[in-house]
Amino acid sequence: MNLASTIEEAMATRRSCRAFLPTPVPRAEVERLLALASSSASNSNSQPWQVHVLTGAAKRALTADLLCAHDEGRRSVGEFAYQPAADAWPEPFRTRRRRFGEGLYSETLGIAADDSAGRRGHHRRNYDFFGAPVGLVLTVSRAPLQGALVDAGLFLQGLMLSARGAGLHTCAQASFIDYHPVLRRHLTIPDDHLVVCGIALGYADDGHRLDDHRTTREPVASFTTFYDSVGPHRDAAVVSSGVASGSPV
């Protein structure tokens, strides 16, 4: 178990873990992590989030229902969708998403692009929280409008970093929004709440081949603009090289 002893280390070692050990996580520890995450900022201290924690029989029952819905093709996104359909992502996000898929399926798992059954089989593991002993579902009130999703994201990041400080790993799973009616049958979700994501929580299986999967990040120069007293400042070397021509520094 490798604990992250600083915020910087927690940020650097946080990843989307997709292979967990069955080792239980004590309820007291889950409560401690949630208490830490609850210190996250929210607009006007509105704290619009709710968390549903599943273990044991409750998790197994939800998983069985989710897998049945998945296998029968009962996706139900509707008004609860907050992200584009798989084929509707614009650039540059479409390319980044494709690179992620290639790295995960082709390079790490060895599942070819034309092996739809193999890819579907791996995606199916989402609904067992990738074998994690603790499954969480994060919901947020729609009353504060879209700003509540920002608050939920801050809470989620706080939870994931707190987990790293305890030697645990997580995986945030947007795939759960596709089956929100199933979640509502098992969880007491207020009518005004939408499902943000599922979250797998537990100890990483370091011996699993998925443990080798890592994603890349865009350089700071590709998404940042610095301003001084005379206007925006761009790194002349970056712009002239053509690496980020026309992009903010």
Side-chain angles (χ1 to χ4, degrees), residues 56-66 186:
K59 176 176 170 286
R60 290 192 295 272
L62 175 62
T63 288
D65 208 354
L66 286 168
H186 289 257

Side-chain angles (χ1 to χ4, degrees), residues 80-115:
F80 293 88
Y82 60 80
Q83 63 180 5
D87 59 351
W89 289 66
E91 294 294 353
F93 315 112
R94 179 191 294 267
T95 295
R96 293 173 186 171
R97 190 172 186 271
R98 185 174 62 249
R99 282 203 304 260
F100 160 73
E102 291 171 352
L104 176 62
Y105 288 102
S106 300
E107 297 170 17
T108 302
L109 293 172
I111 303 174
D114 59 354
D115 184 358

Side-chain angles (χ1 to χ4, degrees), residues 38-237:
S38 72
S39 66
S40 301
S42 63
N43 189 352
S44 301
N45 198 34
S46 57
Q47 305 173 69
W49 48 71
Q50 284 199 355
V51 182
H52 307 264
V53 182
L54 297 112
T55 58
K59 176 176 170 286
R60 290 192 295 272
L62 175 62
T63 288
D65 208 354
L66 286 168
L67 290 175
C68 182
H70 173 269
D71 294 345
E72 294 176 358
R74 290 189 276 114
R75 292 180 70 244
S76 180
V77 180
E79 64 177 308
F80 293 88
Y82 60 80
Q83 63 180 5
D87 59 351
W89 289 66
E91 294 294 353
F93 315 112
R94 179 191 294 267
T95 295
R96 293 173 186 171
R97 190 172 186 271
R98 185 174 62 249
R99 282 203 304 260
F100 160 73
E102 291 171 352
L104 176 62
Y105 288 102
S106 300
E107 297 170 17
T108 302
L109 293 172
I111 303 174
D114 59 354
D115 184 358
S116 57
R119 294 192 171 209
R120 182 179 174 84
H122 173 74
H123 178 78
R124 191 176 186 272
R125 296 181 61 246
N126 271 280
Y127 305 110
D128 185 31
F129 297 92
F130 295 111
V134 181
L136 303 95
V137 174
L138 175 63
T139 71
V140 70
S141 172
R142 286 179 285 178
L145 303 180
Q146 287 90 341
L149 285 172
V150 176
D151 299 335
L154 292 169
F155 179 91
L156 178 61
Q157 182 78 313
L159 176 60
M160 293 189 291
L161 295 180
S162 297
R164 285 302 305 122
L168 295 158
H169 276 282
T170 55
C171 185
Q173 301 164 266
S175 56
F176 277 71
I177 67 176
D178 292 349
Y179 300 97
H180 58 88
V182 177
L183 298 178
R184 290 182 182 278
R185 286 200 295 271
H186 289 257
L187 311 174
T188 307
I189 300 175
D191 291 341
D192 75 312
H193 272 232
L194 61 84
V195 175
V196 178
C197 63
I199 308 161
L201 172 69
Y203 297 97
D205 182 355
D206 297 335
H208 198 285
R209 59 179 171 174
L210 277 165
D211 189 63
D212 295 329
H213 178 64
R214 298 292 185 274
T215 54
T216 60
R217 293 295 183 270
E218 298 298 314
V220 172
S222 72
F223 60 79
T224 307
T225 301
F226 292 97
Y227 296 83
D228 57 25
S229 59
V230 295
H233 170 70
R234 299 174 186 272
D235 188 327

